[in-house]
Amino acid sequence: MPSEGYVPSFKDAAGHDNAVRAHALITRPRVHPRAAQRARINSAPIATQMRFSRNQTIFSEGERSTQFYMVVSGAVRICNYIRDGRRQVADFMFPNDYFGILPYPDYCETAEAISDVVLMRYAHPAMASLEDQQGSNALSQYSLEFRRHLLQLLLRRVRAMERHLLLLGKKTAQERIATILVMLSERLANTRGELFEIPLSRRDMADYLGLTIETVSRGMTQFKRKHLIEIPAPHHLVVTNIRALYALAAGMGKAA
Amino acid sequence: MPSEGYVPSFKDAAGHDNAVRAHALITRPRVHPRAAQRARINSAPIATQMRFSRNQTIFSEGERSTQFYMVVSGAVRICNYIRDGRRQVADFMFPNDYFGILPYPDYCETAEAISDVVLMRYAHPAMASLEDQQGSNALSQYSLEFRRHLLQLLLRRVRAMERHLLLLGKKTAQERIATILVMLSERLANTRGELFEIPLSRRDMADYLGLTIETVSRGMTQFKRKHLIEIPAPHHLVVTNIRALYALAAGMGKAA
DNA sequence: CGGGTTATTGAGGGCTATCAATCAAGGTGG
DNA sequence: CCACCTTGATTGATAGCCCTCAATAACCCG
């Protein structure tokens, strides 16, 4: 979603050419030719294809943040933990989404594979220029373009997180579940009323919504009984009345 | 906190000179002299001192975002609303904090004065360069510096919001209240065990914590009974056992 | 000092968590 | 191919935490 429009699919195998193409991707076509050339000259691949299996950790909070990722296929959850194991999922990443982009010295969140997942990993070009406090000669055209992109991603992220705060702080269980169903439907279904697959488990949904799996399950069966959705299988969904779900998600669940 | 170190106090009156100084502030001393000069030549003040009284709205969600602000004195809350009036406070702004910095076309949040407040308002230098899709000649040294700053602010914001998500999604009422008391103590008290003033009302605290004012009040009296804090007056606080509050905030409230 | 706002305290109820059992699905080995 | 086990989802009963409603008390400001 953040990078819609200029992110081609990476169906082909990883390799040097792929790395260069990935580089061009980040900087977009407008990049100065010199930058792309430099990447080739360095001959260090800046993008690598990686695979993670279900529930594997991609990176953990506190690790040094020197790379960021894009989802090629599968799904990833971004989460934070308290000592005793309580987990809060902050976001879900689906194909073409970037994550781990925060050029903090360390990651402030944990990324885990929801399903088997294929990722592209990039070196973090912003790191050097952000950390160097000497001057701006390190800020090449490359990092400038990258920053524009990064900024947009961060802005969308902040906006999404504010909606998430509202959900967790003020919405009822029904409203929360309606919200995530709308989100998933918008993100994962191609057409309205279509059957689509939800890679998330009930636990993933619950930990995103600040609820328990039982409450999520109950809410979904309620929607099923009201004929707002159909659940052919736990990981398959049809939204039959998206308007009603929208209304609930927008806050009509309290009055009713 | 985000801009600690290079933000002097603005105790003096507003005026043209002040505007130029504010400009230099954003770009930091390292700014190219030409940029500062240009601002002076334009003779349009890019920083204005403003005053808002208690509960006044500074800007609303949906308004065009062409300016951003810094708190000189007083406190501001950043919040989001649902139709029916439910409010979620996303953050509090205290002296030297910047807000409204998201160069979205529109503000995605509402800013309201908690107390009588003095602000500096700046034109948004990033707007033009972010929106112009033609090339990079508009990206002056000025906006480059500004972007570095903006990025840091956004990163801190994202990090704070993730902690906030964890709070709203997974923490108990006691843990939440302990968390905000620690935050306020760190931000507003000069020394440990000191008496300090809390500009927030119980409603502000409750809407930040996803609780009701009654629950906040009860929680604070519980802490008072356990001798973790003293409450000389509703808006005055002494933290007598910050370690205990830290422990609760970190998640020890569930086991106990 | 007095009215209005804000905070505290109390009693009761609702929503969601917790605990527990059943059910469905997927993988494994015989 | 089917019993078996494991994992995940659903459903039910109960309890607990926090919300709601209500009243009192404290505070603020004229």
Side-chain angles (χ1 to χ4, degrees):
Chain A
M1 197 100 154
S3 47
E4 259 177 357
Y6 50 95
V7 178
S9 60
F10 279 99
K11 294 286 162 62
D12 40 15
H16 193 71
D17 263 336
N18 207 341
V20 173
R21 277 184 51 213
H23 176 258
L25 179 162
I26 293 299
T27 55
R28 301 170 71 175
R30 202 160 0 88
V31 66
H32 194 286
R34 187 159 35 95
Q37 199 172 13
R38 192 189 48 178
R40 198 163 320 188
I41 289 170
N42 285 352
S43 85
I46 68 152
T48 323
Q49 198 184 62
M50 305 191 75
R51 291 166 184 280
F52 292 87
S53 47
R54 204 167 105 83
N55 287 330
Q56 215 178 337
T57 300
I58 297 160
F59 57 76
S60 294
E61 182 176 346
E63 285 179 23
R64 187 134 297 253
S65 155
T66 54
Q67 279 125 3
F68 67 99
Y69 300 83
M70 188 199 70
V71 179
V72 176
S73 69
V76 171
R77 61 175 170 258
I78 307 298
C79 43
N80 297 86
Y81 286 91
I82 322 189
R83 253 195 272 288
D84 57 17
R86 275 177 279 175
R87 178 180 78 177
Q88 177 62 41
V89 173
D91 212 350
F92 296 109
M93 296 298 159
F94 298 113
N96 293 347
D97 288 343
Y98 288 89
F99 64 96
I101 55 170
L102 290 82
Y104 249 88
D106 302 327
Y107 290 116
C108 63
E109 53 204 10
T110 299
E112 299 164 349
I114 288 176
S115 55
D116 290 356
V117 66
V118 179
L119 305 174
M120 292 303 294
R121 189 182 69 185
Y122 306 90
H124 213 311
M127 284 301 295
S129 47
L130 272 173
E131 284 186 342
D132 111 60
Q133 298 290 333
Q134 316 307 339
S136 57
N137 53 351
L139 297 169
S140 62
Q141 172 75 14
Y142 175 90
S143 99
L144 231 168
E145 277 300 327
F146 177 76
R147 271 185 198 205
R148 179 200 294 267
H149 194 175
L150 181 60
L151 208 53
Q152 284 182 357
L153 290 177
L154 279 177
L155 290 171
R156 286 174 186 275
R157 182 93 190 271
V158 168
R159 190 162 209 190
M161 288 177 96
E162 282 191 346
R163 285 193 298 254
H164 199 179
L165 290 176
L166 192 61
L167 181 148
L168 291 173
K170 287 289 173 299
K171 287 191 183 179
T172 67
Q174 273 217 349
E175 292 170 344
R176 297 185 200 199
I177 297 163
T179 306
I180 200 175
L181 290 182
V182 166
M183 278 176 45
L184 292 173
S185 147
E186 283 179 346
R187 188 68 179 78
L188 299 174
N190 296 314
T191 62
R192 290 206 164 181
E194 182 195 46
L195 173 85
F196 66 98
E197 189 189 343
I198 298 180
L200 322 181
S201 69
R202 295 291 184 268
R203 170 141 299 287
D204 292 324
M205 295 174 66
D207 285 350
Y208 178 86
L209 298 175
L211 301 171
T212 59
I213 50 177
E214 294 94 333
T215 302
V216 171
S217 187
R218 274 184 255 271
M220 290 184 68
T221 49
Q222 278 185 19
F223 290 156
K224 189 173 63 180
R225 289 212 188 90
K226 291 181 188 170
H227 302 289
L228 308 184
I229 59 173
E230 289 167 23
I231 315 175
H235 286 263
H236 291 266
L237 190 74
V238 181
V239 177
T240 50
N241 189 345
I242 191 125
R243 291 194 166 280
L245 287 184
Y246 266 121
L248 282 170
M252 306 300 294
K254 199 98 175 185
Chain B
M1 197 106 153
S3 49
E4 257 177 0
Y6 50 94
V7 177
S9 60
F10 278 98
K11 295 286 161 63
D12 39 15
H16 193 71
D17 263 335
N18 207 340
V20 173
R21 277 183 51 214
H23 176 257
L25 180 162
I26 293 297
T27 56
R28 300 169 72 173
R30 202 160 357 91
V31 66
H32 194 286
R34 187 158 35 95
Q37 200 172 12
R38 191 189 46 177
R40 197 162 322 189
I41 290 171
N42 285 351
S43 85
I46 69 151
T48 322
Q49 199 184 63
M50 305 191 74
R51 290 166 185 281
F52 292 87
S53 47
R54 202 165 108 84
N55 287 331
Q56 216 179 338
T57 301
I58 298 159
F59 57 76
S60 294
E61 181 175 347
E63 284 179 23
R64 187 134 296 254
S65 155
T66 53
Q67 278 126 3
F68 66 99
Y69 300 83
M70 189 199 71
V71 179
V72 176
S73 69
V76 171
R77 62 175 169 257
I78 308 297
C79 43
N80 298 86
Y81 285 92
I82 323 191
R83 255 195 271 287
D84 57 17
R86 276 177 278 176
R87 178 178 80 178
Q88 177 61 42
V89 173
D91 212 349
F92 296 109
M93 295 297 159
F94 298 113
N96 292 347
D97 287 342
Y98 289 89
F99 65 96
I101 56 170
L102 291 81
Y104 248 88
D106 302 327
Y107 290 116
C108 64
E109 53 204 13
T110 298
E112 299 165 348
I114 289 175
S115 57
D116 290 355
V117 66
V118 179
L119 305 174
M120 291 303 293
R121 189 183 70 184
Y122 305 92
H124 213 310
M127 285 301 296
S129 47
L130 272 173
E131 284 186 342
D132 110 61
Q133 299 291 330
Q134 317 307 340
S136 58
N137 54 350
L139 297 169
S140 63
Q141 173 73 17
Y142 175 90
S143 100
L144 231 168
E145 275 301 327
F146 177 76
R147 273 184 196 206
R148 180 202 294 269
H149 194 176
L150 180 60
L151 207 53
Q152 285 180 358
L153 291 177
L154 278 177
L155 290 170
R156 286 174 187 274
R157 182 95 191 270
V158 169
R159 191 162 208 189
M161 288 178 98
E162 282 191 347
R163 284 194 298 256
H164 198 180
L165 290 176
L166 193 61
L167 181 147
L168 292 174
K170 288 286 175 299
K171 287 191 181 176
T172 67
Q174 273 218 349
E175 291 169 347
R176 298 184 199 199
I177 297 163
T179 306
I180 200 175
L181 291 181
V182 167
M183 277 176 45
L184 291 173
S185 147
E186 284 179 344
R187 186 69 179 79
L188 299 174
N190 296 314
T191 61
R192 290 206 166 182
E194 182 194 45
L195 174 83
F196 66 98
E197 188 189 343
I198 299 181
L200 323 181
S201 69
R202 294 291 185 267
R203 170 140 300 285
D204 292 326
M205 296 175 66
D207 285 349
Y208 178 85
L209 299 175
L211 300 171
T212 59
I213 51 178
E214 294 95 332
T215 302
V216 171
S217 187
R218 274 185 254 271
M220 289 184 68
T221 49
Q222 278 186 19
F223 291 155
K224 189 172 64 179
R225 288 212 188 90
K226 290 180 187 172
H227 302 290
L228 307 184
I229 61 173
E230 289 166 21
I231 315 176
H235 286 263
H236 291 266
L237 191 75
V238 181
V239 176
T240 49
N241 188 345
I242 191 127
R243 293 194 165 280
L245 287 184
Y246 266 120
L248 281 170
M252 306 302 291
K254 199 99 176 185

